[in-house]
Amino acid sequence: ELHARAGRPNLFIKIPGTPEGLPAIEEAIFHGVPVNVTLLFSSEHHMAAADAWMTGIEQRIADGLPPDVPSVASLFMSRWDVKANPNVPAELRNKLGLAIGGRAYKAYVDLLASPRMMRLMNAGARPQRLLWASTGTKDPDASPTLYIDGLAAPYTVNTTPDSTLNACAAHGTDAPPPMPTDGGDAEEVIAQFAEAGVDACVLMLILFVSVLL
């Protein structure tokens, strides 16, 4: 209803990537409504959202409808470090968000190469894009472009705040190297946080609740 009232084909409707939101994502995509899946904090959340998008597209194909319905899956990044930094040694500060991103990007690359996604693309669908959200650096001692440089990757979107965009411009035009498709040292870094007493699963639950409040 909101999408129809706006009358703009490029309008994305935000739907939470919660268990309750997944059927709504699938249904909206089936009806041709672009969706911005929000409230994602992990690769597992992202994969569930991607599955809902793919199911909606598959239903459109089965009904003879055009499969080109765009979507993004928004993974919140800087919030990981905001919560983790007070509880870890200095050498681990501002590293958890990028590690979570590396894990998610590896899963995303694997998804893009999967037979299921290939079938959808062959039918004319464009893959749902992984979107890096909350990418303004919150720690004044860290680089203002931390989540821009560290999350540069093909087939992704970065919703850059104005202050971060200005910082990128001030730092010059050299593009950062793209993220490793295998996630780089993401799993090693996440293991280091576990050794330091930061459980990523518990922290993710805290993040989710804090956003809702």
Side-chain angles (χ1 to χ4, degrees):
E1 181 185 354
L2 288 173
H3 190 263
R5 283 166 52 190
R8 295 291 186 270
N10 63 339
L11 175 71
F12 283 60
I13 299 298
K14 273 193 173 184
I15 302 178
T18 58
E20 296 81 4
L22 296 177
I25 295 167
E26 180 182 322
E27 187 74 7
I29 292 297
F30 172 69
H31 285 286
V33 176
V35 174
N36 176 353
V37 185
T38 188
L39 286 183
L40 303 179
F41 290 99
S42 70
S43 180
E44 292 78 12
H45 287 164
H46 171 223
M47 287 296 103
D51 179 76
W53 173 82
M54 288 189 290
T55 300
I57 296 296
E58 288 165 345
Q59 291 174 350
R60 287 182 64 83
I61 293 172
D63 283 8
L65 299 171
D68 188 10
V69 182
S71 176
V72 294
S74 300
L75 193 63
F76 288 33
M77 305 311 302
S78 65
R79 296 171 186 264
W80 281 98
D81 292 321
V82 170
K83 292 295 184 183
N85 280 350
N87 304 303
V88 296
E91 61 269 20
L92 289 180
R93 288 176 62 88
N94 300 308
K95 289 188 175 182
L96 184 55
L98 294 180
I100 295 296
R103 172 186 280 178
Y105 186 59
K106 179 186 184 304
Y108 182 53
V109 170
D110 292 343
L111 177 69
L112 292 176
S114 68
R116 186 181 182 189
M117 182 66 80
M118 289 292 180
R119 286 193 296 270
L120 297 181
M121 293 171 67
N122 286 337
R126 288 180 295 171
Q128 181 189 61
R129 294 294 183 98
L130 175 58
L131 185 151
W132 310 117
S134 185
T135 55
T137 305
K138 307 301 189 293
D139 184 350
D141 295 327
S143 167
T145 62
L146 174 68
Y147 303 104
I148 305 302
D149 298 337
L151 298 171
Y155 290 100
T156 67
V157 179
N158 195 318
T159 49
T160 311
D162 287 346
S163 58
T164 306
L165 185 61
N166 291 334
C168 287
H171 285 190
T173 58
D174 291 340
M179 294 179 68
T181 56
D182 62 357
D185 62 354
E187 298 303 327
E188 177 184 345
V189 172
I190 292 172
Q192 291 172 358
F193 274 87
E195 292 174 2
V198 175
D199 186 314
C201 292
V202 173
L203 187 57
M204 181 174 62
L205 179 60
I206 294 172
L207 286 168
F208 186 76
V209 172
S210 67
V211 170
L212 292 179
L213 295 178

